[in-house]
Amino acid sequence: TTEIYTLSLHDALPIFDFVDKAIDKSKDGIVILEKYVPWKDFIVNSEKEKAKDINFVVFPSKRGGYNVYAVPVEIGSFENRKLLPQNWRGKRDEELQQITGVKTARFCHNAGFICSCDTYEDAINLAYLAT
């Protein structure tokens, strides 16, 4: 089943503040979220100049570990501002670890919009390698 997130204004304001602060702290086109929140709308539609340069978001995965996710060009689009490197796509575990040099790299989607690993530090490393 697909999870659907519905946010009331009451829910959205704390999330907006959380993501907004993460945008301010972003470096080199990467936002790092210490917890998962629905972030896409807030980054894609942000009026902040810095938000327009964000290509990847790092956050804890609901399945365990951490994800690096490409920011879409617009909400609902399958086109992203930047994709993960071509030679990572479709790779898993040891093969992905050898290519990236990241010990806990687990998976990169064939389409290049998401990859995962076991640790927070390695997710940040993957994001920087992808920039």
Side-chain angles (χ1 to χ4, degrees):
T1 59
T2 303
E3 286 187 49
I4 297 175
Y5 294 99
T6 55
L7 296 175
S8 70
L9 185 57
H10 174 76
D11 294 332
L13 287 175
I15 294 170
F16 171 82
D17 288 341
F18 180 75
V19 176
D20 200 51
K21 286 177 182 152
I23 291 169
D24 289 339
K25 293 179 187 176
S26 69
K27 291 193 305 198
D28 302 317
I30 300 167
V31 159
I32 299 169
L33 301 175
E34 293 85 24
K35 64 179 181 179
Y36 175 79
V37 295
W39 54 266
K40 285 183 191 174
D41 284 321
F42 299 108
I43 291 177
V44 171
N45 296 318
S46 176
E47 297 293 320
K48 292 189 173 197
E49 201 57 40
K50 200 169 187 181
K52 293 170 180 38
D53 295 328
I54 295 168
N55 293 317
F56 298 109
V57 178
V58 173
F59 57 88
S61 171
K62 295 178 199 167
R63 297 177 180 169
Y66 296 83
N67 290 332
V68 178
Y69 205 102
V71 175
V73 172
E74 60 187 37
I75 298 304
S77 173
F78 288 106
E79 184 181 349
N80 296 287
R81 294 177 181 178
K82 184 171 185 169
L83 291 172
L84 295 161
Q86 182 70 43
N87 64 332
W88 298 8
R89 298 180 201 170
K91 305 294 190 289
R92 300 184 150 277
D93 301 320
E94 290 168 15
E95 189 177 9
L96 184 59
Q97 292 162 13
Q98 285 181 341
I99 292 167
T100 62
V102 175
K103 282 185 186 179
T104 70
R106 293 286 162 231
F107 165 79
C108 184
H109 193 277
N110 284 329
F113 70 93
I114 189 171
C115 65
S116 66
C117 60
D118 292 340
T119 71
Y120 180 70
E121 295 79 13
D122 280 354
I124 294 168
N125 287 339
L126 284 171
Y128 274 97
L129 288 169
T131 57

